[in-house]
Amino acid sequence: MSRATKITTALAAASIIGLTLAGCSGSPATGTSGEAAPNMTEVAAAAGNTAPATEAAKTTFTFGETATFDGLTLGISAPEAFTPSQYAYTGSQPSNVKFTITITNTATEGYDPSLTFISASSGSQEAEQIFDTEGGLTLAPSTTILPGASVSYPVGFNVADPAQIVMDVTGGFDYEKTTWTN
């Protein structure tokens, strides 16, 4: 057996051993003990944080409606015309609109609103989020929303057609994406 063949055989054996040992360490689905990880829906139900069945299947909303999640309610106002200040970061589309986002924490633990992700499109084009410190359009709040508390903040977008806006909102890693339209 040549030296190159011995090295290749040794590397292959080491790879197989490494993969076998990695398989014994557990996974996110089973945990390190090999036991099944808890079903988060069951955990939330046991804690009393279940979403109403009527809202659970609904993922598309109209601006002005309120969505109910497991531990959160989310409201997005109808779009309002907005004139950015001269130093605002905007896009190249013809219209600027802003919305008021309202998040209410109905869970038993604090919620980090900076986990909220919002994107929009209009007239078949991706909208640009407007950042305008003078106009009050900055980043999402970062202070924890305590149980039972709410926070509202403005978000602006540069859009092609203000009568045709689609907005996707995700409340964080543990929440389903919702879509909002006018």
Side-chain angles (χ1 to χ4, degrees):
M1 189 182 296
S2 73
R3 182 168 195 254
T5 304
K6 288 180 183 178
I7 292 173
T8 303
T9 303
L11 287 174
S15 295
I16 290 170
I17 291 169
L19 289 172
T20 301
L21 292 175
C24 294
S25 67
S27 69
T30 61
T32 56
S33 67
E35 296 177 14
N39 177 314
M40 294 315 288
T41 303
E42 293 171 5
V43 170
N49 294 332
T50 56
T54 57
E55 293 282 346
K58 187 173 180 178
T59 59
T60 302
F61 300 87
T62 302
F63 294 121
E65 289 185 314
T66 299
T68 301
F69 297 92
D70 183 24
L72 289 180
T73 60
L74 175 67
I76 301 178
S77 70
E80 299 174 28
F82 173 70
T83 302
S85 70
Q86 71 181 46
Y87 300 111
Y89 170 79
T90 64
S92 60
Q93 300 303 320
S95 298
N96 300 300
V97 294
K98 70 177 179 178
F99 304 84
T100 299
I101 309 297
T102 301
I103 301 171
T104 302
N105 182 356
T106 59
T108 56
E109 295 181 7
Y111 172 73
D112 180 357
S114 67
L115 296 175
T116 305
F117 179 76
I118 302 171
S119 63
S121 66
S122 170
S124 301
Q125 297 181 34
E126 192 68 16
E128 292 282 335
Q129 188 168 354
I130 299 171
F131 293 99
D132 184 3
T133 304
E134 269 183 50
L137 301 177
T138 58
L139 299 174
S142 58
T143 303
T144 299
I145 303 172
L146 296 175
S150 297
V151 68
S152 295
Y153 62 98
V155 173
F157 284 94
N158 177 246
V159 298
D161 181 359
Q164 188 184 58
I165 300 172
V166 175
M167 182 184 291
D168 286 338
V169 181
T170 304
F173 304 113
D174 296 330
Y175 296 93
E176 294 292 323
K177 176 181 74 174
T178 54
T179 301
W180 303 76
T181 62
N182 49 352

